[in-house]
Structures are given as structure tokens and as C-alpha cells.
């Protein structure tokens, strides 16, 4: 149930993850509607711990801050600085802080983070021993270093190398002691560790691997003087930083009886709920549902979002694991690892580039079928921004090219345009290329998507994805145009709306329902790519009601029926059938502008019976309900008309039968006139054909309606075959490049280069796509089936033609008619706006 | 099999088998008192029911509209006639808040 917990939320801990949780609450509109209390141990609000070391290169503590100036006030959040939680009474649902104040809660969120693990060696608490976690730790190290000449970091992992870099920057003779046989054992492999070692030693640091710390020794004043290592060697040092990993801060949870893991961490489920349903734990203090404690910020953010979603929103979100990819600049050395960096997958292959002179080491792990699984980059991690999002995909170039330096024909080839749209660019905030591409500037991207505001390693890649002009997206669900979606569906063989929405929609729209704009547009794209009957499977739910019932909805809820009459030519027998059907079902009949007959007033449940009669007599769907070819109107032409110079009726019939059922961005109309008198009004059509003594002239982009436009001459004096081939190309080019509901007239005006460009493309094949366009049309022609005949043969499809699902035979009593001029007309309901019950 | 049910004044009313509802689409149900309900299911399998009458046209057509969701995730149906959107949880018209359609509580029951 939503809104269940919206009374008081107490958040214990105000680190990066705690702050992110508050933002997630605010974004969901919850923060203002509920009391939110935050207990913060440190003497300052949340700051960017990931960039902690940048303090030593001039970033002030304030600049590291993560909380916008009026964030707390604007969202009515009570933040208690320097007042950590001391105890939790789960029975009374209260938290008591160090100040003695007690806060009741309905929901408690523990975001207590982690503490640095200090190995239990003698002397570990001597003056001169430090940890490296908070701004206060750094200030203390900085002050103490003023009197020191040598510093040692215990631990050669990520944070240890950062700390060593800081000590080195403070002018200390710096040592690193790492128990494992190589630096950064968790992230890099042996080769990467070796490259890292060379580079770091070249910078004047001393690295001791494969040894542990046995004891810290003191001078006469009791200050750190040196240390004894596990191989009994002695190391002289004035200052020691322990950076041997972190442990979850779960003491509060232990004290109040919440379940914790054997090796620490508050046990939570996929919603980050602890063993007490009113208590959640997020970030480094939590033992996630997959049995891991995550020490990176991105998974913590993910957990924060999950809990916010669980408490105040849909509750659909879950945290079940995270990507541990990282990229860091350590001591000036780029180090990155991503995906399956150690190549643990069965049968995977390594592609390695190693240059020990420059300290560059790159390894990619690929599966046997070429999928990039992960990698390690040391010394040159520029490709990280490109490679990490490609993980799980087959890269567009051979993997060996991806590890070669740019000058050797390597990754310079590979631009962000080659990334799939769902590639995650910012892994801290899980922002995809698609979401970033929808923004017009870096500040906008940062503000709207938070991309680039975590570790910052992706900012360069983001820059290459920006700027793009305006939004121009199809609708609130897609930031892409219809044309782009068409190309995506074509290239990736996407055959379902949800696949397109979840993979290429705007981030907020993914997993949603889509909308009344994009659903029919995507249905049209998929239908245009020949993906089956429009009433089948998921596509059935995308069509607006006209396509759904293969008929045209009229104002009183009834439908009209238009059988195809190609070229407007019809036999007397068929004319009689239409008359009989209309009479027997009591339908209103009217001749349309497109030389056919419209039958009005059918109820949903009558449609199959009406069509059974029509199909039996050789009629087929006229697609009056679809964004598709309507009719190819014609004059009688040379056969009867004394002025005619070609057989326009035959050509009209041929064209109508060729393009019937073709789904397009908007309806398509056509006409063929047998001479220059133009009785068929071909120049008011999307594609019009006018007979000449030498063949056919093809006109395109005409329109009647509200904004009439005369069609432009594309090519003259075509043979029958040339005409058909050109129309094939023209229509497919239009379908491929037009926006949703953009008639050819508007498209021709909008498209860059206008008519001349269209002529270049479809006549002179300037883009080299004509063969493809023709093939697409050939596939359409070959795949055409009469939708109504198919529907009548399929009991499953027929089942939807009922007015009421629970009374299949019952007519809809709200559809009533009264007589007028010998036919029926709708009896319109009285409108009582505002009087709804 | 499971069925979709509506809560009416007199109790739960069975509309149809769950399988008759296609995600993203609706069906119309004739209620015992002659009124009509439009019943929907979304791709997450949640069901909704509102009055079938589009107050802007007076036509009983809301069941034939397309389901959508707002960026905030609120499910709605867009009337197939003039495309007014109605929130499926509250019945409020998203394009004209003065108009509301009745909503019904929905449920599922199953037996074997």
C-alpha cells in the first residue's frame, strides 16, 4: 500500500547515501508531506566522500558539500548535525540521540555507512596512527604531517593508494604496505597490478607487497616511530594511515536486536527492509539481498532509491545486486576495472595490451561469441567511458582494436554514437545514454539526470553526447523522433512496444504504460516493418480503437465500415452486395470522396457478421481506419474517355492493390488521371499520377483538406515499371523519415533539401538506400494479408468483438438511432457535463 | 482460473476471466443496474475500473481507449473520441479537472 508510512521518517546517518535518500524522498513529493528527521554524526552535512582526496589538491570542505543551500528548509527536513543516534527502541519505535533527545518514528532508515578496519596490531592507537574516511581525518593527517618526514599506508587498495598519494603530495617519503601479492587486488589482475607497481615506484613511492603489519612501534614520547612487518623487517615511519578495508557500521542494529550477517552488515531484503519491517538499511551498513556488502556509492544510491520507492511510491523497485565497475585517478595514474575484470566466466578469453615503458596495461575479457564481459585498464583509462557501457554487448570493432592506443588504430574509431541507447553512461546514478542524449547541455543533464555528479568519470563521455538541438521527442515517453525509433526498430529488429519503451524510452517512462501518442505511432512503425498482424499479441494493445476493431469509431460509439473498392471500380454484383449488407444490418450509406462506400452505424458485435458477408463476396478491408493507404482514385481513362491517353483505371487498381495495408506515419491518398485534364485530382494527393502521351508523370506531396498543397512533379514520362519502382522508393523513404502524423506535404516542406533532396535519394539513389527501400516494399507486398479475412478465421481475435465482455450477445443499449431522409442517424445523448456521478 | 471482480454496492460482481483482459486495453462490462464499467489491466497486471461513459461526448466508449501512464507513473485511459485522459485510480480527467468519472474497486478471485 502506498502512503502507509507517511508520518515520521527518521534517517540515521547523513552521508552520501543518506542524502541521496532524502533527495529521493523529495523527488517523490514525500518530504513535504511528512516529518523527516535526520541524525548526522559528523559536524557537517553530507559531502562527497568519493572525492575526499581532492581536499589535498585545493578543494575546500564546503566545495565537497552535497546539500544544496536551502534543500533542508525547502523540504522541511530536520537535520541534527553532530548528534548521532545512540540507541533504538524498536518496541516503542523511538531513536535516542547522543544529546539525549528522543525521536519517534514510523519508518526508520539506517544509513550509518562503514568504519575503517584497523587490524588489531599492537600500537595501532598511538599518536600518529590515522584512518582515512572523513574530512576530519584528513584535517588531522594534514596537521600531523607537518612534523613528519615519512608516512606509511597500510593497505594497497583503492583508498590506500589515494591516501598514499595524499601523503606523497604532502611531501612525505611514502610507503605502501599491502598484504596481497599486488596492489589493488580486488580490482586489477596480476598484469594490471604490475603496471601499477612500476608507475607508482617511478613516482618515488615504496611499495611492500606480500607482507602484513605485525606491530607499530613508538618513540620515547609515545609517538609512532616505525613498524615491524610480518617478515620481521622494520620500517621507519612517523605516521601510519590504516586503509585496510571498511566494515559495516551495524552496532546500533545489533544493539536493538536486528538481524546482522556473520561477517557484519544489517541483513536486508530486496527492498532493503531489515528483520523489522519498520526499519530499512541502505548503503555500506547493509548486507544486501544477494549476500554482499557494497562499499561503492552507486549501489548505495540504488538502495536509497529503492527504499524511497518502497515507502512512498510504487514499491516496484528492488535492489538485488550491483555493478562494481570503478575508474579512479590514483597518484595521477588512471585505473579502471569493470564487469568481469578477473575473467571468471567459463571459457572467456583475454585480450591484453601491455607496455611496461609507459606503464600502460589493458585487458579486456570477452566471451567466445565476442561479448565484452569486463576489463582492467591501468595507465590509460580513457576508453573506460566507452567500454563499460559496452559491457554485455558485442563491441562494434574487434576487441584488439579496443585495447590498442589511439595512434595505432585503436579506440579513436569508437565514438559514443556506437553505444547502444540503453548503455549506462553514469554508473553512479545509473543514467543511460538515451537519458543524457535527451538533454541539451551538461548542466541540464546533471540537473535532470544527476549524470556526472557522482564520481565524475563519465563527464567527458557525456560531453560528446551533447548538445543536441531541443527535445523533439515523439512524446512524454520517447525523447526520440519517430524516424529515430523507426531506425532503432529496424536496426535492432525490435518487435514489441515494451522492448522499445523499456530500452529506448525516456528514463521516467521505462517500465510504464506508454501513452496514447506513442503506442499507435510505434504500432505503425512495427507494422511498417512487417511484424505480423496488427491484432496479434502485444501489438493488439497499441492500436487505437479504429485499428483495434478494424473499423472507424463514430461519435455515438458505433463504427463505420469501408470495403476496399480499388480504383473506384466495382461490379454491379458487388455493388448489390454492399447494398444488401447495408440494408440487412440497417446501416447508413454514403459515397466517400475516395470513390468508395462507407457504411455507418455498426455496433462492435455486428462487425464480424458484416465482414463475413463482405469477405464472402470478395471484398477486403479498405483500411479506412488505419494510418495507411486509403484509396487510389481514378478516372475511367483511355478505355472509355475520348481524351484519355493511358489506362488510368488499371494503373489505379494496380497501385491500390500494391500498397494496400501499408502502414505509414499518416494516411496516404493517391489518384491516377488518364490525361492532363486531371479529373482524378491527382495533384491533391500524397502521390499522384497523371498520364502523358509518353507514359506517366509522378507528383508527390499534394494535399487537400485544411491546408491544400499541389503535389510537385518528381519525374515525368515514366514507364509502368519505372513508375512503380519510384513510388516504392518514395513511400518507403517517407515512412522511414517522417514524423508521427506528418503527411507527405508537410514532410516534403520540412525535410532538409526538400523536393530536390527527395529526388536525389529516390531517383538518383544518392544515399545508396534504394535497393533497401525496394526490398522493404517488396516484403510488404509479399506479406500482405487481408486483415478482415484473417480476423474472421481466428476465434481468438473474434472474441474481442463484443460490446460487453460479460454479455457477449448483448447490444450496447446506449447506441440508438433515429430516422432521417430514409436512413438512420445517431440519437445523440444529452450532455450533462459536470453532473457525473 | 482467476476472474476480475468489481465492488458494487451489493457486493463483488464478477466481470470476466482475467485472461480476457489484455494489458494496455480495456473491456466494457454491463452491470446489473444497466450501467457500464470500463475495466482495464496494465502491463504490471493491476486492474482498474471506471465508468464507461465519456462525459465529454456522452458516448460509452472509455473501455476502448488506450492506457497510458504519466511520467509520475499514474495510469490513465485516453478516450478514443476526443482523447481526454482519465486517471484510472481517481477517475479525475487529467485535462479538465472539473470532470470526473466514477471509479470501482477491483479485485481478483480464483478457484480451482
Amino acid at each position: 500500500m502506498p502512503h502507509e508510512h507517511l508520518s515520521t521518517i527518521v534517517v540515521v546517518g547523513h552521508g552520501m547515501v543518506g542524502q541521496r535518500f532524502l533527495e529521493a524522498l523529495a523527488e517523490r513529493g514525500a518530504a513535504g508531506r511528512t516529518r523527516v528527521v535526520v541524525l548526522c554524526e559528523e559536524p557537517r552535512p553530507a559531502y562527497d566522500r568519493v572525492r575526499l582526496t581532492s581536499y589535498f589538491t585545493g578543494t575546500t570542505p564546503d566545495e565537497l558539500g552535497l546539500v544544496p543551500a536551502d534543500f533542508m528548509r525547502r523540504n522541511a527536513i530536520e537535520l541534527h548535525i553532530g548528534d548521532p543516534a545512540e540507541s533504538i527502541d524498536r518496541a516503542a519505535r523511538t531513536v535516542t540521540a547522543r544529546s539525549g533527545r528522543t525521536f519517534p518514528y514510523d519508518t526508520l532508515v539506517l544509513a550509518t555507512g562503514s568504519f575503517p578496519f584497523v587490524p588489531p596490531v599492537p600500537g595501532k592507537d598511538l599518536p600518529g596512527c590515522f584512518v582515512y574516511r572523513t574530512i576530519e581525518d584528513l584535517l588531522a593527517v594534514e596537521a600531523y604531517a607537518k612534523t613528519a618526514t615519512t608516512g606509511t599506508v597500510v593497505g594497497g587498495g583503492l583508498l590506500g593508494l589515494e591516501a598514499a598519494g595524499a601523503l606523497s603530495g604532502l611531501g612525505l617519503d611514502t610507503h605502501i604496505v599491502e598484504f596481497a601479492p599486488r596492489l589493488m587486488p580486488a580490482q586489477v589482475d596480476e598484469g594490471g597490478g604490475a603496471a601499477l607497481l612500476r608507475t607508482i615506484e617511478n613516482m618515488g613511492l615504496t611499495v611492500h607487497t606480500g607482507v602484513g603489519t605485525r606491530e607499530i612501534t613508538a618513540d620515547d614520547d609515545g609517538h609512532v616511530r616505525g613498524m615491524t612487518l610480518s617478515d620481521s623487517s622494520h620500517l621507519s615511519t612517523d605516521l601510519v594511515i590504516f586503509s585496510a578495508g571498511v566494515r559495516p557500521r551495524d552496532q546500533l542494529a545489533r544493539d536493538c536486536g536486528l538481524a546482522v550477517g556473520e561477517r557484519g552488515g544489517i541483513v536486508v531484503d530486496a527492498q532493503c527492509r531489515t528483520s523489522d519491517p519498520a526499519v530499512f538499511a541502505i548503503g555500506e551498513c547493509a548486507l544486501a539481498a544477494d549476500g554482499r556488502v557494497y562499499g561503492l556509492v552507486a549501489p548505495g544510491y540504488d538502495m536509497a532509491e529503492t527504499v524511497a520507492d518502497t515507502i512512498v511510491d510504487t514499491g516496484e523497485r528492488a535492489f538485488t545486486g550491483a555493478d562494481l565497475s570503478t575508474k579512479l585517478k590514483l597518484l595521477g595514474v588512471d585505473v579502471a576495472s569493470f564487469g568481469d575484470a578477473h575473467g571468471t566466466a567459463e571459457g572467456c578469453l583475454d585480450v591484453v595490451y601491455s607496455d611496461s615503458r609507459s606503464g600502460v596495461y589493458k585487458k579486456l575479457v570477452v566471451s567466445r561469441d565476442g561479448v565484452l564481459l569486463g576489463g582492467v585498464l591501468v595507465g590509460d583509462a580513457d576508453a573506460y567511458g566507452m567500454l563499460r557501457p559496452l559491457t554485455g554487448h558485442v563491441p562494434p570493432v574487434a576487441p584488439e582494436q579496443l585495447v590498442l592506443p589511439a595512434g595505432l588504430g585503436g579506440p579513436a574509431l569508437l565514438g559514443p554514437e556506437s553505444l547502444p541507447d540503453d548503455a549506462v553512461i553514469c554508473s553512479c546514478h545509473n543514467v543511460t545514454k538515451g537519458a543524457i542524449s535527451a538533454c541539451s547541455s551538461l548542466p541540464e543533464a546533471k540537473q535532470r539526470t544527476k549524470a556526472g555528479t557522482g564520481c565524475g568519470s563519465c563527464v567527458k563521455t557525456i560531453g560528446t553526447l551533447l548538445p543536441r538541438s531541443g527535445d523533439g521527442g515523439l512524446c512524454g515517453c520517447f525523447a526520440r523522433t519517430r524516424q529515430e525509433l523507426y531506425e532503432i526498430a529496424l536496426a535492432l529488429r525490435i518487435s514489441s512496444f515494451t522492448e522499445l519503451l523499456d530500452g529506448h524510452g525516456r528514463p521516467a517512462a521505462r517500465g510504464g504504460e506508454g501513452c496514447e501518442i506513442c503506442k499507435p505511432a510505434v504500432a505503425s512503425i512495427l507494422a511498417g516493418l512487417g511484424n505480423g498482424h496488427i491484432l496479434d499479441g502485444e501489438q493488439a494493445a497499441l492500436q487505437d480503437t479504429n485499428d483495434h476493431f478494424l473499423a472507424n469509431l463514430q461519435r455515438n460509439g458505433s463504427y463505420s465500415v469501408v470495403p476496399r473498392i480499388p480504383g473506384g471500380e466495382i461490379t454491379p454484383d458487388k455493388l448489390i452486395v454492399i447494398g444488401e449488407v447495408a440494408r440487412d444490418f440497417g446501416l447508413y450509406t454514403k459515397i466517400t470522396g475516395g470513390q468508395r462506400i462507407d457504411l455507418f452505424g455498426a455496433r462492435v458485435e455486428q462487425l464480424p457478421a458484416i465482414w463475413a458477408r463482405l469477405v464472402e463476396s470478395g471484398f477486403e478491408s479498405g483500411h479506412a481506419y488505419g494510418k495507411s493507404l486509403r484509396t487510389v482514385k481514378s478516372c475511367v481513362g483511355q478505355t472509355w474517355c475520348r481524351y484519355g491517353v493511358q489506362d488510368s483505371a488499371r494503373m489505379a487498381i494496380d497501385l491500390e492493390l500494391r500498397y494496400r495495408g501499408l502502414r505509414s506515419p499518416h494516411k496516404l491518398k493517391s489518384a491516377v488521371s488518364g490525361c492532363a485534364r486531371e479529373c482524378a485530382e491527382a495533384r491533391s494527393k500524397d502521390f499522384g499520377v497523371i498520364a502523358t502521351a509518353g507514359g506517366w508523370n509522378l507528383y508527390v506531396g499534394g494535399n487537400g483538406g485544411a491546408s491544400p498543397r499541389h503535389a510537385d512533379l518528381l519525374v515525368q514520362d515514366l514507364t509502368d515499371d519505372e513508375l512503380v519502382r519510384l513510388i516504392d522508393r518514395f513511400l518507403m523513404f517517407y515512412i522511414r523519415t517522417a514524423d508521427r502524423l506528418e503527411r507527405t506535404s508537410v514532410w516534403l516542406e520540412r525535410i532538409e533539401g526538400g523536393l530536390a533532396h527527395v529526388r536525389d535519394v529516390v531517383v538518383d539513389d544518392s544515399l545508396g538506400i534504394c535497393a533497401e527501400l525496394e526490398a522493404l516494399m517488396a516484403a510488404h507486398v509479399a506479406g500482405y494479408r487481408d486483415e478482415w479475412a484473417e480476423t474472421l478465421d481466428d476465434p481468438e481475435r473474434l472474441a474481442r468483438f463484443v460490446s460487453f465482455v460479460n454479455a457477449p450477445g448483448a447490444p450496447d443499449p446506449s447506441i440508438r438511432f433515429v430516422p432521417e431522409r430514409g436512413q438512420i442517424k445517431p440519437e445523440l445523448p444529452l450532455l450533462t457535463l459536470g453532473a457525473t456521478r | 482460473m482467476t476472474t476480475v471482480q468489481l465492488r458494487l454496492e451489493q457486493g463483488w460482481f464478477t466481470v470476466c476471466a482475467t485472461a480476457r483482459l489484455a494489458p494496455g486495453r480495456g473491456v466494457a462490462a454491463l452491470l446489473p443496474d444497466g450501467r457500464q464499467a470500463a475495466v482495464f489491466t496494465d502491463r504490471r497486471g493491476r486492474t482498474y475500473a471506471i465508468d464507461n461513459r465519456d462525459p465529454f461526448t456522452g458516448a460509452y466508449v472509455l473501455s476502448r481507449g488506450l492506457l497510458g501512464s504519466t511520467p509520475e507513473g499514474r495510469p490513465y485511459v485516453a478516450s478514443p473520441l476526443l482523447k481526454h485522459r482519465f486517471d484510472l485510480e481517481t477517475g479525475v480527467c487529467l485535462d479538465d479537472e472539473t470532470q470526473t468519472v466514477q471509479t470501482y474497486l477491483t479485485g481478483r478471485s480464483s478457484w480451482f
Side-chain angles (χ1 to χ4, degrees), chain A residues 616-634:
Chain A
E616 187 184 44
S617 304
F619 285 102
E620 59 181 22
S621 168
H623 295 100
Y625 46 81
K627 301 290 178 238
S628 56
L629 179 80
R630 297 292 168 83
T631 167
V632 183
K633 193 175 160 178
S634 72

Side-chain angles (χ1 to χ4, degrees), chain A residues 95-354:
Chain A
V95 178
T96 303
R98 181 176 292 164
S99 62
R101 282 183 290 189
T102 293
F103 301 92
Y105 67 83
D106 295 286
T107 302
L108 178 63
V109 177
L110 301 175
T112 45
S114 59
F115 64 88
F117 170 69
V118 177
V121 294
K124 66 182 172 59
D125 297 320
L126 291 173
C129 287
F130 298 91
V131 293
Y132 195 85
R133 197 182 82 91
T134 66
I135 288 180
E136 274 56 45
D137 292 335
L138 266 58
L139 296 175
V141 167
E142 185 182 37
Y144 198 87
K146 289 190 174 118
T147 62
T149 55
T150 306
T152 301
V153 176
V154 177
L158 290 176
L159 211 55
L161 295 189
E162 282 206 24
L167 292 184
S168 180
L170 290 169
L172 273 59
D173 180 15
T174 305
H175 296 255
I176 300 167
V177 176
E178 168 57 51
F179 187 73
R182 63 175 182 274
L183 294 172
M184 289 184 69
Q187 288 78 22
V188 306
D189 60 357
E190 205 181 319
L196 198 55
L197 176 64
R198 271 191 301 275
T199 308
I200 288 175
E201 286 183 336
N202 284 342
M203 296 165 70
L205 281 73
T206 311
V207 179
H208 312 259
T209 54
V211 286
T213 305
R214 189 181 291 165
E215 183 183 4
I216 312 291
T217 54
D219 60 13
D220 295 343
D221 299 336
H223 291 88
V224 170
R225 181 60 246 152
M227 54 202 292
T228 308
L229 303 181
S230 58
D231 60 359
S232 300
S233 63
H234 187 78
L235 185 61
S236 202
T237 188
D238 307 319
L239 183 156
V240 174
I241 295 178
F242 290 104
S243 180
V246 295
R247 298 289 183 271
R249 290 187 78 188
D250 54 13
Q251 195 60 44
L252 270 176
R254 286 174 190 273
D255 292 347
C256 68
L258 289 173
V260 293
E262 267 179 39
R263 298 170 61 194
I266 306 165
V267 174
V268 296
D269 64 13
Q271 271 66 48
C272 297
R273 208 183 281 270
T274 69
S275 52
D276 178 340
V279 184
F280 296 81
I282 55 178
E284 296 181 303
C285 66
L287 180 61
D290 63 348
R292 303 178 69 158
V293 172
Y294 286 92
L296 293 176
V297 72
Y301 282 177
D302 203 356
M303 291 186 226
E305 296 281 349
T306 298
V307 172
D309 187 70
T310 302
I311 298 176
V312 298
D313 210 343
T314 63
E316 306 260 330
R317 205 176 159 123
F319 179 87
T320 52
D323 176 22
L324 293 173
S325 301
T326 40
K327 178 192 171 194
L328 295 156
K329 201 174 192 74
L330 294 166
L331 304 155
V333 187
D334 281 330
V335 180
S337 83
F338 57 96
D340 182 10
H342 293 284
T344 57
E346 197 182 328
C348 64
L349 307 166
D350 290 351
V351 179
V352 177
Y353 171 87
S354 180

Side-chain angles (χ1 to χ4, degrees), chain B:
Chain B
M1 73 178 210
T2 66
T3 59
V4 179
Q5 306 195 314
L6 298 193
R7 180 75 191 180
L8 305 178
E9 287 86 349
Q10 55 272 49
W12 286 100
F13 176 75
T14 299
V15 173
C16 62
T18 310
R20 288 297 302 275
L21 285 180
R25 282 227 95 93
V27 297
L30 191 58
L31 304 184
D33 63 357
R35 280 189 290 155
Q36 299 184 17
V39 186
F40 304 89
T41 188
D42 64 16
R43 56 185 279 208
R44 295 171 182 179
R46 295 179 296 198
T47 54
Y48 309 92
I50 60 174
D51 196 75
N52 193 30
R53 184 179 177 276
D54 175 1
F56 294 92
T57 60
Y60 288 70
V61 294
L62 291 185
S63 62
R64 298 181 213 153
L66 282 176
L67 238 70
S69 59
T70 66
E72 296 75 40
R74 296 204 69 79
Y76 64 81
V77 63
S79 169
L81 280 174
L82 300 179
K83 312 296 183 206
H84 291 99
R85 298 170 302 153
F86 296 88
D87 188 313
L88 290 177
E89 286 175 342
T90 62
V92 175
C93 176
L94 297 173
D95 304 298
D96 178 355
E97 286 181 6
T98 65
Q99 292 301 309
T100 302
V101 295
Q102 183 184 347
T103 59
Y104 295 89
L105 200 59
T106 62
R108 291 183 180 207
S109 95
S110 51
W111 66 83
F112 298 93

